[in-house]
Amino acid sequence: VLQGAWAMDQHFANAPFEKNLPVTLGMLSLWNVSFLGCPARAILPYTQALAKLAPHIQQVAMESNGKGVSKEGLPLDYETGEIDF
């Protein structure tokens, strides 16, 4: 798992933007929420060793994404993040 994570980190750092998988996934997420109106995403671990991954991602997303107000404290009229299941 760690070797695969390292390889993906290298890919993210070095791949051209148009062939960068993490960038593509981020853009798909933005498209799904902003343009298709699909604010939810499923995180499905494929092994028991990753059972705590979904709750971790949910916590990180709640802390960094999905804010409902602007920097000025005004309510936003658009979705700012996904709901992770």
Side-chain angles (χ1 to χ4, degrees), residues 28-43 57-58 61-62 65-66 78-85:
L28 285 171
S29 176
L30 176 69
W31 180 263
N32 287 337
V33 171
S34 300
F35 300 105
L36 297 182
C38 300
R41 144 177 82 181
I43 301 167
I57 291 175
Q58 288 171 333
M62 286 189 299
N65 298 327
Y78 54 88
E79 295 290 335
T80 60
E82 293 173 312
I83 303 165
D84 297 314
F85 292 100

Side-chain angles (χ1 to χ4, degrees), residues 1-14 22 46 50 53:
V1 171
L2 291 178
Q3 187 177 10
W6 181 85
M8 185 53 69
D9 285 348
Q10 294 303 306
H11 168 78
F12 175 66
N14 300 309
Y46 57 86
L50 297 173
L53 178 63

Side-chain angles (χ1 to χ4, degrees), residues 66-84:
K67 306 293 189 233
V69 296
S70 69
K71 288 190 255 183
E72 294 78 25
L74 302 171
L76 299 172
D77 61 352
Y78 54 88
E79 295 290 335
T80 60
E82 293 173 312
I83 303 165
D84 297 314

